[in-house]
């Protein structure tokens, strides 16, 4: 067995190096004509690549190319980025924000350190602890039509407001995170008995269909965390992984040379051995879309793989990624089962955000994206999901949040019987919420054939949908006068 020796660095010395050599961020608008080049130098540590990519994607930036080099105690990473409109970055406070975000994440704890209010295990359960921060309910289960609607209705009945919610489905699995607040008074929910009761009621919803799936894996848990400490999409990846959605992936893998069948744009993954340094070489080819790099790096990090070198690029509608990785703390074990699991997990991470749709199959797009914007009020999410359920539709992806007094979100729905979705559902939802609606006949993040997006507007007003990136940009604009200009 090949043994790879790695230097051990004491944590106190590592922390000292980080303090005297904080991350340096440079944005170069001269090197490339069509994008900004973000260059980051920093002392290396496990997970910092994910922190960098997360900071960029949270600002809704599009990463078209990336070069990663972190073999040793130092890293030098380069990202070619634009905004959503394809423009270079000109905001003067962006460099400071990215550097501040990276420094902040170095001192923050991982999501696993958040307080779990009550365990979801089958053993003896302890009484819920008093919450001192925001409360979120996390649900993973076998997907079925109407589940999200039933959960939303239970929360309204118990007197909770939903401040934000995100749900993903993939391979008949569902994972959702719903952030709650007390409808009767603002601030954190501090009643432990009430917290225990809401979890019991959600468990009852899950048990109502018990027995439909043999050996079903499901989980309901409440978590409390400080504001800004939880990253929803990263947590959803972890929940889907724990639920085993990767086990039934059916995408094509490609051959040793990465060759595709003619006309195939599926997700191809090949994991090979690099004998010289004890690396595994991971090659991934898939359809390009926003947050693709984040999704890939997220699963590598959560599976305890360190990325030493990487190159990522996109051309037309396809993206190519190559990673040189090694298991954290040691060398790669030459096990076919581990290689197979890594392959499946990468495919799942790429496709759980948006299902693979092959244009060569000559099948029509049967899903419908519904973007909503309305005055926030108690029961809004329950009303929207109820209308969708009553019309025989299933929610395959959902995201909704609150900006001041306005609730905005997006729902991707499909027909439970496999038929085309009737676009009149948008008008029914609009009447229910008395707000604006935009419907789009494309799956989320599909690469458009032209810059003209096909949509049907069921309202007179079209407004941008809610995103964390837009909120961050609005805060950055207020700080921009405090920082010097960047090169342009």
């Amino acid at each position: 067995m090949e043994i790879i020796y790695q230097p051990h660095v004491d944590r106190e010395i590592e922390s000292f190096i980080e303090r005297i050599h904080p991350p340096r961020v440079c944005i170069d608008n001269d090197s490339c004509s069509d994008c900004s080049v973000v260059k980051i130098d920093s002392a290396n540590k496990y997970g910092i690549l994910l922190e960098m990519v997360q900071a960029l994607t949270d600002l809704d930036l599009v990463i078209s190319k990336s070069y990663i080099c972190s073999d040793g105690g130092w890293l030098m990473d380069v990202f070619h980025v634009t905004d959503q409109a394809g423009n270079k970055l000109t905001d003067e406070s962006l460099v400071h924000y990215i550097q501040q975000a990276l420094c902040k994440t170095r001192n923050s704890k991982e999501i696993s350190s958040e307080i779990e209010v009550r365990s979801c295990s089958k053993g003896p359960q302890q009484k819920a602890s008093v919450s001192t921060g925001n409360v979120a309910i996390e649900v993973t289960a076998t997907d079925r039509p109407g589940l999200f609607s039933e959960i939303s209705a239970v929360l309204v009945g118990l007197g909770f407001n939903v401040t934000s919610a995100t749900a993903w489905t993939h391979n008949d699995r569902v994972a959702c995170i719903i952030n709650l607040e007390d409808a009767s008074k603002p601030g954190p929910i501090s009643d432990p008995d009430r917290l225990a009761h809401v979890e019991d009621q959600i468990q009852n919803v899950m048990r109502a269909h018990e027995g439909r799936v043999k050996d079903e894996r499901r989980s309901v848990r409440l978590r409390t965390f400080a504001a800004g400490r939880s990253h929803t999409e990263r947590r959803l990846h972890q929940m889907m992984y724990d639920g085993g959605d990767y086990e039934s992936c059916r995408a094509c893998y490609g051959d040793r040379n990465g060759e595709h069948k003619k006309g195939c744009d599926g997700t191809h993954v090949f994991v090979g051995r690099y004998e010289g340094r004890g690396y595994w070489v991971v090659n991934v080819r898939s359809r390009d879309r926003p947050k693709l790099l984040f999704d890939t790096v997220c699963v590598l990090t959560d599976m305890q793989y360190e990325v030493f070198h990487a190159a990522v690029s996109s051309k037309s509608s396809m993206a190519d990624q190559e990673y040189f990785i090694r298991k954290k703390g040691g060398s790669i074990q030459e096990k076919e089962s581990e290689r197979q699991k890594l392959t499946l997990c990468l495919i799942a991470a790429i496709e759980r955000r948006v299902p693979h749709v092959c244009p060569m199959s000559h099948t029509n797009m049967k899903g419908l994206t519904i973007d909503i914007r309305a005055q926030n009020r108690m029961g809004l999410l329950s009303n929207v999901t109820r209308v969708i359920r009553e019309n025989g539709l299933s929610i395959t992806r959902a995201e909704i949040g609150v900006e001041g007094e306005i609730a905005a979100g997006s729902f991707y729905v499909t027909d439970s019987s496999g038929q085309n979705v009737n676009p009149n559902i948008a008008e029914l939802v609009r009447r229910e919420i008395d707000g604006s609606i935009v419907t789009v006949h494309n799956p989320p993040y599909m690469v458009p054939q032209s810059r003209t997006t096909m949509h049907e507007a069921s309202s007179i007003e079209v407004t941008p949908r809610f995103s964390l990136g837009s909120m961050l940009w609005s805060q950055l604009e207020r700080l921009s006068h405090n920082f010097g200009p960047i090169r342009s």
Side-chain angles (χ1 to χ4, degrees), residues 366-392:
K366 297 182 179 180
L368 187 72
T369 299
I370 304 175
D371 292 335
I372 70 169
R373 189 173 181 89
Q375 189 75 21
N376 185 38
R377 62 180 183 272
M378 184 175 178
L380 178 64
L381 177 62
S382 177
N383 293 338
V384 172
T385 56
R386 175 180 53 79
V387 172
I388 294 174
R389 173 176 55 85
E390 289 176 348
N391 284 272

Side-chain angles (χ1 to χ4, degrees), residues 27-29 36 89-95 484-488:
I27 294 186
D28 179 8
N29 281 329
S36 298
L89 311 182
T90 57
D91 192 289
E92 297 177 355
S93 62
L94 184 59
V95 175
I486 62 178
R487 287 201 297 150
S488 61

Side-chain angles (χ1 to χ4, degrees), residues 125-138:
Q125 297 186 359
Q126 299 178 348
K127 189 175 181 179
S129 59
V130 176
S131 168
T132 57
N134 300 323
V135 173
I137 185 165
E138 300 179 348

Side-chain angles (χ1 to χ4, degrees), residues 212-481:
R212 296 181 59 181
V213 179
K214 185 179 180 181
D215 299 326
E216 178 185 2
R217 283 178 286 188
R218 65 172 185 265
S219 171
V220 178
R221 64 178 64 183
L222 287 168
R223 302 178 82 90
T224 180
F225 50 89
R229 282 279 305 280
S230 176
H231 193 274
T232 300
E233 293 184 342
R234 183 176 181 187
R235 181 62 187 146
L236 285 169
H237 275 299
Q238 294 171 334
M239 292 165 63
M240 279 293 200
Y241 172 77
D242 291 340
D245 72 319
Y246 61 89
E247 295 173 358
S248 55
C249 282
R250 292 294 180 268
C252 47
Y253 301 89
D255 58 20
R256 179 172 293 273
N257 297 319
E259 294 295 332
H260 291 207
K261 296 179 181 179
K262 185 176 181 181
C264 177
D265 68 343
T267 302
H268 295 249
V269 176
F270 172 73
V271 180
R273 178 79 170 175
Y274 182 64
E275 300 293 345
R277 299 294 300 274
Y279 296 137
W280 266 355
V281 183
V282 179
N283 288 279
V284 181
R285 183 171 174 81
S286 65
R287 287 188 66 85
D288 190 25
R289 59 166 173 78
K291 300 189 178 182
L292 177 62
L293 180 60
F294 169 78
D295 293 338
T296 308
V297 174
C298 190
V299 72
L300 291 173
T301 304
D302 290 338
M303 294 184 70
Q304 302 294 301
Y305 286 102
E306 294 183 271
V307 177
F308 291 87
H309 304 278
V312 178
S313 64
S314 61
K315 184 178 181 181
S316 185
S317 63
M318 301 301 292
D320 292 286
Q321 305 177 69
E322 183 177 51
Y323 299 90
F324 292 78
I325 64 173
R326 190 185 293 156
K327 204 71 171 177
K328 181 183 177 183
S331 61
I332 291 291
Q333 299 295 318
E334 191 67 40
K335 294 182 179 178
E336 183 59 31
S337 60
E338 186 70 17
R339 187 200 307 264
Q340 181 75 0
K341 181 179 179 181
L342 175 59
T343 300
L344 294 177
C345 288
L346 284 168
I347 294 171
I350 292 171
E351 296 190 350
R352 65 171 61 116
R353 185 186 293 274
V354 48
H356 167 63
V357 179
C358 182
M360 304 300 294
S361 62
H362 305 290
T363 55
N364 295 326
M365 312 304 297
K366 297 182 179 180
L368 187 72
T369 299
I370 304 175
D371 292 335
I372 70 169
R373 189 173 181 89
Q375 189 75 21
N376 185 38
R377 62 180 183 272
M378 184 175 178
L380 178 64
L381 177 62
S382 177
N383 293 338
V384 172
T385 56
R386 175 180 53 79
V387 172
I388 294 174
R389 173 176 55 85
E390 289 176 348
N391 284 272
L393 302 177
S394 297
I395 298 174
T396 60
R397 179 173 169 80
E399 182 177 6
I400 188 169
V402 177
E403 302 176 70
E405 298 298 320
I406 300 298
S410 180
F411 298 84
Y412 182 64
V413 299
T414 57
D415 192 282
S416 303
S417 60
Q419 302 299 315
N420 292 324
V421 176
N422 189 338
N424 291 336
I425 182 65
E427 176 62 21
L428 297 177
V429 173
R430 189 191 66 80
R431 292 175 183 174
E432 184 68 34
I433 67 174
D434 192 24
S436 61
I437 296 286
V438 176
T439 63
V440 183
H441 288 277
N442 280 332
Y445 296 127
M446 181 180 180
V447 179
Q449 298 299 320
S450 65
R451 289 190 175 273
T452 303
T453 304
M454 181 179 62
H455 65 84
E456 295 182 8
S458 299
S459 170
I460 45 221
E461 182 184 4
V462 177
T463 52
R465 70 176 184 177
F466 166 81
S467 74
L468 178 61
S470 61
M471 296 177 65
L472 290 173
W473 276 114
S474 65
Q475 296 299 319
L476 288 171
E477 289 173 356
R478 299 192 305 169
L479 301 173
S480 60
H481 66 278

